[in-house]
């Protein structure tokens, strides 16, 4: 009875805390003070567009070349160069959402593996659990990000060696 309820509420609390840690890390990767504890405000901030500095910061923290970042964000290399070169104005909303989603996966990998170097190494190497695909190469699509996240969760819970 009561013990089961406490256990269920603990699991829910733990999931929320783990999600919050991953989200906070995503903002750290982007160098942003977003209101991630309030999903409505986060959505509003993404719809308004992230500052262009978030692109450069994420690129540097993730160790990505311009061409790799452009591919992950599904924009042309010239578009990315143009966006980075513009001094003012935020990123478009769709690009802001994709950038945040990528940062969240990178942050999740850092949390699971305990450090940035190991996370970056894992994201750049073929993984058996992903059909020997490179996680980073799958992350340009929402479905690919979901698959990478699912494998990270399995690793975190000891379901993959």
């Amino acid at each position: 009875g009561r013990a089961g309820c406490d256990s269920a509420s603990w699991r829910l609390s733990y999931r929320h805390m783990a999600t919050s840690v991953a989200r906070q890390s995503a903002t750290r990767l982007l160098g942003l003070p977003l209101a991630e504890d309030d999903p409505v405000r986060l959505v509003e901030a993404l719809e308004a567009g992230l500052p262009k500095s978030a692109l450069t910061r994420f690129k540097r923290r993730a160790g990505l070349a311009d061409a790799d970042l452009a591919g992950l964000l599904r924009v042309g290399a010239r578009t990315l160069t143009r966006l980075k070169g513009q001094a003012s104005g935020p990123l478009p909303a769709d690009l802001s959402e994709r950038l945040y989603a990528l940062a969240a996966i990178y942050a999740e990998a850092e949390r699971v593996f305990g450090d940035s170097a190991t996370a970056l190494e894992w994201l750049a190497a073929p993984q058996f659990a992903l059909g020997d695909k490179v996680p980073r190469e799958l992350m340009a699509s929402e479905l690919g990000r979901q698959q990478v996240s699912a494998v990270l969760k399995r690793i975190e819970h000891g379901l993959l060696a």
Side-chain angles (χ1 to χ4, degrees):
R2 187 159 168 63
C5 179
D6 289 342
S7 175
S9 64
W10 180 86
R11 281 194 302 269
L12 181 61
S13 232
Y14 173 78
R15 284 189 192 124
H16 175 70
M17 285 188 304
T19 301
S20 293
V21 167
R23 285 184 183 147
Q24 288 169 1
S25 297
T27 58
R28 184 180 49 77
L29 284 172
L30 295 171
L32 302 171
L34 292 178
E36 292 179 309
D37 58 339
D38 183 347
V40 172
R41 292 174 95 183
L42 176 58
V43 168
E44 289 170 352
L46 292 173
E47 286 175 353
L50 296 177
K52 293 191 175 94
S53 62
L55 270 175
T56 305
R57 182 174 172 99
F58 177 72
K59 177 184 172 281
R60 185 176 58 243
R61 293 290 307 271
L64 295 170
D66 279 351
D68 294 329
L69 181 58
L72 285 170
L73 293 172
R74 296 211 166 171
V75 297
R78 289 199 305 205
T79 300
L80 183 64
T81 301
R82 181 178 46 78
L83 285 168
K84 285 174 31 180
Q86 293 172 344
S88 63
L91 294 171
D94 61 332
L95 192 60
S96 294
E97 288 182 26
R98 288 194 301 266
L99 181 60
Y100 179 81
L102 287 171
I105 297 293
Y106 272 79
E108 184 176 8
E110 280 187 14
R111 185 175 49 78
V112 168
F113 293 110
D115 65 83
S116 179
T118 306
L120 293 176
E121 186 179 310
W122 186 86
L123 288 165
Q127 301 300 325
F128 176 77
L130 293 168
D132 289 323
K133 301 285 186 210
V134 175
R136 190 172 71 193
E137 294 172 3
L138 298 174
M139 291 171 42
S141 73
E142 176 62 25
L143 182 58
R145 288 188 296 272
Q146 288 173 4
Q147 294 304 310
V148 172
S149 180
V151 170
L152 287 168
K153 283 176 181 49
R154 289 168 52 200
I155 291 169
E156 180 179 29
H157 296 290
L159 300 174
L160 286 177

